[in-house]
Amino acid sequence: MIHRIAALIVKEFLALFRDKRSRLTVVVPPIIQLFVFSYAATYDLEKVPYAVYNEDPGAFSRALTARLEGSPHFRKVAVITREAEIAPLVDARQALLVIHVDRRFSRDILKGRSGKIQVILDGRNSNTAMIALNYIRTVVTAYGDELVRTAGIRGFPAVLETRTWYNPNLESRWFIVPGILGIITLLVTLITTALSVAREREQGTFDQLLVTPLRPVEILIGKSIPGCVIGLAEGTVCLLAAALWFKVPLRGNLLMLYGGLGLFLLSAVGVGLLISSLSVTQQQGLLGVFLFMVPAVILSGFTTPIGNMPVPVQHLTRLNPVRYFMVVLRGVFLEDAPPSVFFAQFWPMALIALATLSLAGWLFRHRID
């Protein structure tokens, strides 16, 4: 028995490394993923974009805002002079949070009362908002302790008041469930399309398909439509579960959601057909799905903010259709975003779909020839 098991192990290794493509698949992608994930998958926040709305001209408020400017965790992107300027900054994701210093801040501290500081957070990403809030709280607490020691002010001189937009209670479910909708839709669509051609080759029916009157482009379209239909049905089921079972608020336009879903499915089908055109067996197709799926999820902003990744990795995420669909999902579910926000995500997904489908069609005809 031991000899038979050993012979089987040797045979599997020979079958795996005899093919050049299999050797590259086993060695190169894990190394690339190691470096990409090591840099991208971090929960530490650096250079968090924030804006300052300081209504107090006193020395105490200036000293507090100077502490934020000197912190490596924060990056000031704007100075606000009117309350009406807050919403556009947060809506456009230019600022993750806004620091609002009350106009009586310095006066209250001098009178022995607690000065009020308001922090307005973007709750669309509850995990990031909570981490940023803890950073702010640390800075304010350290500043208050310093005033107690140096200025002799009694009591806690600064009080932090928070207000979270789009996700007032910072429920992680509101943030996670819409993202899972996109990931499940991507997974089902990829598996359906990536195994279609490979299954034909593995079962020996691909040659029979080629002798039919169907042209290669017709075969490609026929392989694409089932994936789109299955992905659309799966996305609808997940949408109903998110809204009805998990009680995630659905505040936006369903037409925008399904428009983004359609473009996302086309890009996912293009990637799946690309994998299927390169795969000879279903095992290679599944491996290709895995090699695309894991980086696509990590680089989508689902678990970690894209703005916290290194600049080269941020540019790499522009090739990922999941990144744009995540913005569409959270824009519809949580914030009722305007159409301009969705259109800014639609055209990159359309370009990715056009590129992947064209390349898959070329590879498909090339493999037939």
Side-chain angles (χ1 to χ4, degrees), residues 227-254:
C228 290
V229 172
I230 292 174
L232 184 64
E234 191 73 28
T236 302
V237 171
C238 294
L239 171 66
L240 294 174
L244 301 178
W245 180 261
F246 294 104
K247 305 299 181 182
V248 180
L250 187 60
R251 297 169 176 162
N253 191 338
L254 283 176

Side-chain angles (χ1 to χ4, degrees), residues 40-52:
T42 174
Y43 287 97
D44 297 328
L45 296 183
E46 295 181 359
K47 298 181 179 180
V48 175
Y50 76 99
V52 176

Side-chain angles (χ1 to χ4, degrees), residues 69-190:
E69 294 179 13
S71 172
H73 300 296
F74 299 98
R75 174 173 57 89
K76 186 168 70 174
V77 296
V79 176
I80 297 174
T81 57
R82 294 181 295 112
E83 186 175 351
E85 300 176 13
I86 297 177
L89 282 174
V90 178
D91 287 341
R93 300 178 184 268
Q94 296 179 13
L96 177 67
L97 55 91
V98 177
I99 308 295
H100 178 201
V101 183
D102 188 77
R103 67 184 63 186
R104 296 182 298 273
F105 181 78
S106 298
R107 190 186 315 165
D108 289 341
I109 291 178
L110 289 174
K111 291 182 179 180
R113 297 194 295 264
S114 297
K116 293 182 179 180
I117 307 163
Q118 184 184 42
V119 180
I120 301 170
L121 298 166
D122 183 356
R124 284 170 288 192
N125 189 333
S126 58
N127 294 333
T128 305
M130 286 298 296
I131 296 173
L133 177 60
N134 290 331
Y135 285 172
I136 292 289
R137 185 175 286 114
T138 300
V139 172
V140 173
T141 302
Y143 176 66
D145 293 340
E146 182 181 339
L147 288 180
V148 171
R149 292 194 310 268
T150 59
I153 297 175
R154 298 180 180 180
F156 197 73
V159 176
L160 190 66
E161 297 181 358
T162 62
R163 192 173 93 192
T164 306
W165 287 1
Y166 309 124
N167 189 356
N169 297 323
L170 290 176
E171 295 187 23
S172 59
R173 182 179 298 169
W174 289 17
F175 169 73
I176 293 175
V177 172
I180 293 178
L181 187 157
I183 292 173
I184 292 177
T185 304
L186 175 67
L187 179 61
V188 172
T189 306
L190 278 180

Side-chain angles (χ1 to χ4, degrees), residues 205-225:
T205 58
F206 188 66
D207 292 336
Q208 299 176 9
L209 188 65
L210 294 180
V211 299
T212 63
L214 292 171
R215 293 178 298 171
V217 64
E218 295 172 339
I219 296 175
L220 200 64
I221 294 174
K223 295 288 185 181
S224 304
I225 292 178

Side-chain angles (χ1 to χ4, degrees), residues 197-206 276-277 279-280 367:
V197 179
R199 182 169 55 251
E200 297 280 357
R201 291 197 180 99
E202 196 173 68
Q203 295 176 352
T205 58
F206 188 66
S276 186
S277 300
S279 303
V280 178
R367 293 293 295 269

Side-chain angles (χ1 to χ4, degrees), residues 88 192 198 307 365:
T192 302
R365 290 192 300 269

